[in-house]
Amino acid sequence: MVNSQLTLSRHVIVLALAILLGYALLLSRSEWSEMHRYNRAVGDVSLILLSMAMAIGPVLRLTNWKWVRRLLLYRRELGIWSVVAAFIHTAIILIGWVELDLWRLFGFEFHPELQQYVMVRHGFALANALGVVALLYGFVLAGTSNDLSQRVLGASVWKFLQQGAYVLWWLVIIHTGYFLFVHFLDFHRAIPAPNWAQLPFVGLVLTVILIQSAATVGTWRRQRARERVRCSSQGSCGAKQ
């Protein structure tokens, strides 16, 4: 009962954080059309929550601060609400941008003279395909982010499945990067003013990569140190058997 209450409390806290972030992001793009304001705000919330979930584990390997250990408890909830936000982001695109026409979602437009769909946006197609793959795998990760799945799947299978979050994160980064830096660079249309989110996006990505890299190097150094201590105590490292 106590564990259920604590889990519910974490969900409420993460949901409140997501709503506050989304509201702030909506206000920051007041000049955009309503559909794109909500589409981008919810998508950015998903990215931020996922990035926080990806960074917590590596940060814990870098420090023993108690507050970081408490944050580790929120990793599941951050991942789950990131997927929920990604689903809402996708629904807004399907309804408001491509108007439930799945051909348009993957870069096709109907050609009235040819009376068939033709490919007109290759980058749009690839970016959205990556986004769809990320969302589907996100459903798998969110659906198994619970103790019951861990018991049913077994620790090794469950851990292997959850480690796919690194692939998910990179799919989301590529998907987001395309729309921030590439999609609107079309000579057939007026190029809009640079999106203010470009630099924060780069900073967020680099920060997560640096944290993960530092944690990897730190883990490797600790393992090497333990190996040297073991070898010194046994006096057998490098010796022929």
Side-chain angles (χ1 to χ4, degrees):
M1 183 65 177
V2 175
N3 288 336
S4 298
Q5 291 176 341
L6 291 175
T7 300
L8 179 60
S9 298
R10 291 196 295 270
H11 275 291
V12 171
I13 291 172
V14 173
L15 176 58
L17 173 63
I19 292 173
L20 289 174
L21 284 172
Y23 182 68
L25 289 165
L26 279 174
L27 293 179
S28 72
R29 294 166 172 141
S30 58
E31 74 280 6
W32 288 20
S33 67
E34 186 174 18
M35 186 277 295
H36 280 297
R37 286 178 65 207
Y38 280 90
N39 157 39
R40 193 62 267 157
V42 179
D44 288 346
V45 168
S46 177
L47 172 62
I48 292 170
L49 295 182
L50 179 60
S51 297
M52 291 173 65
M54 297 299 298
I56 289 176
V59 168
L60 184 59
R61 295 206 302 270
L62 291 171
T63 177
N64 288 321
W65 294 342
K66 291 183 178 179
W67 67 269
V68 177
R69 292 187 178 276
R70 287 196 292 268
L71 285 179
L72 185 64
L73 298 174
Y74 287 83
R75 187 162 55 178
R76 286 185 180 181
E77 288 74 19
L78 287 167
I80 290 171
W81 284 105
S82 171
V83 174
V84 172
F87 174 75
I88 297 173
H89 167 73
T90 304
I92 293 172
I93 291 175
L94 287 173
I95 297 172
W97 196 341
V98 302
E99 300 173 336
L100 299 177
D101 188 338
L102 294 181
W103 285 103
R104 294 184 64 199
L105 180 66
F106 295 106
F108 290 87
E109 292 289 349
F110 187 77
H111 196 295
E113 295 182 4
L114 298 176
Q115 288 296 300
Q116 66 181 30
Y117 282 90
V118 295
M119 170 67 77
V120 295
R121 298 179 182 176
H122 298 81
F124 188 73
L126 179 59
N128 281 336
L130 293 177
V132 169
V133 171
L135 179 62
L136 293 177
Y137 195 67
F139 284 146
V140 174
L141 293 178
T144 56
S145 292
N146 53 75
D147 294 336
L148 175 60
S149 296
Q150 190 171 3
R151 290 194 298 269
V152 171
L153 296 174
S156 59
V157 173
W158 183 86
K159 184 176 181 180
F160 175 79
L161 187 64
Q162 292 293 317
Q163 283 177 338
Y166 289 94
V167 176
L168 171 65
W169 187 72
W170 276 110
L171 290 175
V172 172
I173 292 305
I174 296 171
H175 170 81
T176 306
Y178 168 80
F179 284 101
L180 279 177
F181 295 98
V182 179
H183 179 69
F184 295 101
L185 299 180
D186 190 332
F187 69 91
H188 293 295
R189 293 172 294 179
I191 298 176
N195 191 327
W196 66 261
Q198 289 177 338
L199 287 180
F201 169 77
V202 172
L204 177 66
V205 173
L206 290 178
T207 298
V208 175
I209 291 175
L210 288 174
I211 291 173
Q212 292 177 342
S213 299
T216 299
V217 172
T219 301
W220 174 77
R221 293 180 64 180
R222 287 192 295 272
Q223 289 177 342
R224 293 283 293 176
R226 286 195 293 268
E227 183 67 17
R228 285 195 295 268
V229 170
R230 184 186 67 81
C231 292
S232 298
S233 63
Q234 295 180 356
S236 60
C237 290
K240 294 182 179 179
Q241 301 296 325

